Amino acid sequence: MLSDQLFEKLNDQMNFEFFSEHAYLALASYCSSESWEGFSNFFIQQAAEEKMHGMKIFRFLCDLGKRPRINGFESPEKEINSVLGAFESAYAHEQVVTKRFYDISDVAMNEREHVTMQFLKWFIDEQVEEESTFDSLVSRLRRIGNDGNALLILDSELGKRGTAAAAPTA
């Protein structure tokens, strides 16, 4: 049975995932305003993932007979001045997400809530991938610096994210 404390932590994380969706849309907006449509696409795809993560927690809570509460949140960060800054912000955000999942997992372990521990394992594994992706992209962007050609190549590469799955089939 899910304790009140664990419910609150999961519900809070669900809302944080929805906030994350908006944070990534804000980064997409910055990139689009600077005509970096590939980078914008990357963040739009990331936003969709965050929404999916929030809904995954939503459904888990419902499956346990709990009623998720949707809360408001602060506006996402607005002061981004470069593509590198956008990706550094995203990387820092993912590190916060990882810490939050570790905290929830610690509570679940302390309460010996095995179903929740198993559920959280997927998110913890996902965070390894998320942090690795952003760490790699930040490193690449730092190496690129102000090389316009290299930025265009990376923009084009990231513009392809999600397009294979969205392409119509014959």
Side-chain angles (χ1 to χ4, degrees):
M1 182 169 171
L2 200 63
S3 72
D4 289 343
Q5 179 187 17
L6 198 48
F7 167 76
E8 290 298 329
K9 289 202 168 287
L10 285 164
N11 195 81
D12 186 51
Q13 186 61 34
M14 174 193 70
N15 281 290
F16 195 76
E17 295 294 330
F18 294 141
F19 166 77
S20 297
E21 174 189 11
H22 287 254
Y24 284 121
L25 289 174
L27 295 175
S29 174
Y30 165 77
C31 292
S32 185
S33 75
E34 296 294 318
S35 298
W36 292 113
E37 297 308 323
F39 295 129
S40 179
N41 175 68
F42 176 89
F43 285 121
I44 288 168
Q45 298 299 318
Q46 192 66 32
E49 273 191 27
E50 301 308 325
K51 180 179 181 181
M52 184 269 297
H53 295 167
M55 290 306 300
K56 190 174 183 89
I57 298 169
F58 178 93
R59 288 186 194 98
F60 179 73
L61 292 173
C62 289
D63 287 348
L64 294 178
K66 300 293 184 179
R67 181 180 176 189
R69 292 188 314 269
I70 308 301
N71 301 326
F73 44 79
E74 297 292 320
S75 294
E77 182 177 343
K78 295 179 182 116
E79 297 302 317
I80 298 296
N81 300 316
S82 67
V83 170
L84 174 59
F87 280 88
E88 287 173 333
S89 175
Y91 182 38
H93 182 82
E94 289 300 332
Q95 290 172 320
V96 169
V97 172
T98 298
K99 288 177 187 172
R100 292 173 64 94
F101 275 115
Y102 285 174
D103 181 51
I104 299 166
S105 184
D106 287 345
V107 172
M109 281 190 287
N110 288 339
E111 294 184 5
R112 300 179 51 85
E113 176 54 47
H114 297 282
V115 170
T116 304
M117 290 178 346
Q118 184 64 33
F119 174 73
L120 292 171
K121 182 183 182 318
W122 182 90
F123 286 97
I124 291 169
D125 291 344
E126 174 75 3
Q127 284 309 116
V128 171
E129 178 186 328
E130 297 287 359
E131 284 195 36
S132 175
T133 297
F134 281 107
D135 182 38
S136 174
L137 288 168
V138 166
S139 293
R140 289 174 72 184
L141 285 162
R142 286 180 180 155
R143 267 194 311 275
I144 288 171
N146 291 323
D147 181 336
N149 289 329
L151 281 168
L152 284 170
I153 290 169
L154 185 56
D155 183 63
S156 176
E157 178 185 323
L158 295 184
K160 296 174 185 167
R161 181 182 185 198
T163 56
T169 56

